[in-house]
Amino acid sequence: MQPTLLILAAGMGSRYGGIKQLDQFGPNGETIIDYSLFDAIRAGFGKVVFIIREELRQDFEEVFGAKLAGKIEIDYAIQALDSYVPAEVGPVKRTKPWGTGHAMLCAKNHTQTPFAVINADDFYGLEAFQLISDFLTTDTDDELHAMVGYEVKNTLSENGSVSRGVCEVAENGNLISVIERTKIYETENGEKKIVFEEADGLTPLSPETPVSMNFWGFKPSVFPLVQHQFESYAIANINSPKAEFYIPTVMTNLIETNTGHCKVFRSRSAWFGVTYPDDKPTVQAALKKLHDEGAYPAKLW
């Protein structure tokens, strides 16, 4: 059974200043999603589910529908603000989506196979898709999931801080913990070092620290556990309009309750992504270089 690819594309893009999921970066006007889809198809994925806001559906159908016809099955999951929120908490008073863990849950009824989850605005490379696809098509342990990790030094932006899931990995290659750090950057004053910033100050990170770039592989048996987690989270945070339920929160809970484990794959592929408008020229140059080197054909589709 071919795995399914879930693409997290419902974000608001507040720091980017536009719908970066559909912005053009490749030499022929390709989106970053185009490269993920091209690599996913090469790696053996059989279906893609775009997790989006309702108002983006027509745009996504117009951009991706025709080019993907006959190449991979397409579906759409809507991340609504009240999806899977227990009715007893009353109306949801927020404008910001509930986060990546909630987005994944919103694809529950669209996903019957083992599946991968990725960001819409990150370029991961073919190797990462092949690693996860091989795992999802061969591993039969319903409680073993996976992620692709990257060294934090290779995931920074020159134009501002970034959010990353900082990982601790055991000797057997399984994840011990992943904690979402929402403000990671390289300091400019004195000796350069990578830090994450919180209310109580700065904490240094080794450049080789593995971080999650939201490239996960899950077995579908995880959905009831995620739904239970989110319902509890929504009840506790219904009056916190900026609270977000992250996939690292899901994985941490699985590990701590011994209801799931996570194998960490280290990818040697180049990673780059778009957080700020000034990141765009860097991404465009990197993609052009990959085309020039033959990693991708002159035209993807």
Side-chain angles (χ1 to χ4, degrees):
M1 188 176 292
Q2 291 178 292
T4 298
L5 179 66
L6 309 185
I7 299 182
L8 304 171
M12 306 292 284
S14 56
R15 288 185 287 186
Y16 188 70
I19 305 175
K20 60 181 174 180
Q21 302 96 310
L22 299 178
D23 202 357
Q24 299 179 353
F25 296 89
N28 304 295
E30 296 91 347
T31 67
I32 291 181
I33 293 176
D34 280 310
Y35 292 91
S36 294
L37 291 167
F38 189 83
D39 286 337
I41 292 169
R42 290 197 286 179
F45 284 80
K47 179 179 179 179
V48 58
V49 179
F50 295 104
I51 305 172
I52 55 175
R53 305 190 306 277
E54 180 63 50
E55 60 265 32
L56 294 177
R57 178 160 184 159
Q58 183 176 345
D59 291 333
F60 269 75
E61 289 178 344
E62 291 176 355
V63 172
F64 297 108
K67 70 177 68 171
L68 295 180
K71 299 180 178 68
I72 190 171
E73 182 183 350
I74 311 169
D75 198 0
Y76 300 88
I78 303 302
Q79 185 181 11
L81 297 179
D82 58 354
S83 297
Y84 293 96
V85 176
E88 63 264 28
V89 303
V92 177
K93 298 178 180 179
R94 61 185 290 145
T95 58
K96 186 181 179 72
W98 280 99
T100 56
H102 178 247
M104 183 176 82
L105 177 60
C106 290
K108 175 184 176 183
N109 295 328
H110 302 261
T111 313
Q112 288 73 47
T113 71
F115 62 94
V117 186
I118 64 168
N119 289 337
D121 53 355
D122 287 337
F123 176 92
Y124 297 100
L126 175 61
E127 183 198 32
F129 286 93
Q130 196 66 66
L131 287 168
I132 289 291
S133 178
D134 290 347
F135 169 78
L136 294 175
T137 53
T138 59
D139 188 87
T140 58
D141 183 351
D142 278 347
E143 292 187 354
L144 182 61
H145 312 289
M147 63 160 279
V148 179
Y150 295 80
E151 294 181 350
V152 66
K153 67 181 179 182
N154 295 327
T155 73
L156 303 178
S157 170
E158 297 177 352
N159 301 301
S161 64
V162 296
S163 297
R164 301 288 180 255
V166 177
C167 302
E168 182 181 1
V169 181
E171 290 185 5
N172 66 357
N174 282 359
L175 187 67
I176 296 174
S177 67
V178 54
I179 301 174
E180 189 77 8
R181 303 298 185 186
T182 58
K183 198 168 185 181
I184 299 176
Y185 55 90
E186 188 172 55
T187 60
E188 294 292 336
N189 298 327
E191 181 183 358
K192 284 192 174 183
K193 58 183 179 180
I194 300 171
V195 300
F196 66 83
E197 181 179 332
E198 293 186 304
D200 56 353
L202 305 180
T203 301
L205 288 172
S206 166
E208 288 74 34
T209 300
V211 296
S212 163
M213 302 307 303
N214 256 357
F215 199 140
W216 302 90
F218 287 98
K219 313 296 173 53
S221 57
V222 78
F223 278 121
L225 301 174
V226 177
Q227 183 171 347
H228 177 72
Q229 284 186 45
F230 175 71
E231 289 174 351
S232 297
Y233 184 89
I235 291 170
N237 292 275
I238 193 63
N239 294 316
S240 301
K242 294 184 178 180
E244 291 193 57
F245 181 69
Y246 296 115
I247 293 177
T249 304
V250 170
M251 187 57 70
T252 297
N253 183 272
L254 295 177
I255 293 170
E256 290 179 348
T257 59
N258 203 34
T259 53
H261 308 281
C262 181
K263 184 176 180 63
V264 178
F265 294 101
R266 300 289 188 102
S267 175
R268 298 184 300 273
S269 298
W271 172 92
F272 43 86
V274 184
T275 303
Y276 302 94
D278 289 344
D279 292 331
K280 185 172 181 176
T282 302
V283 173
Q284 289 175 316
L287 290 173
K288 183 179 184 304
K289 184 171 184 288
L290 288 171
H291 279 273
D292 292 343
E293 293 173 346
Y296 295 96
K299 290 190 176 181
L300 292 185
W301 311 111

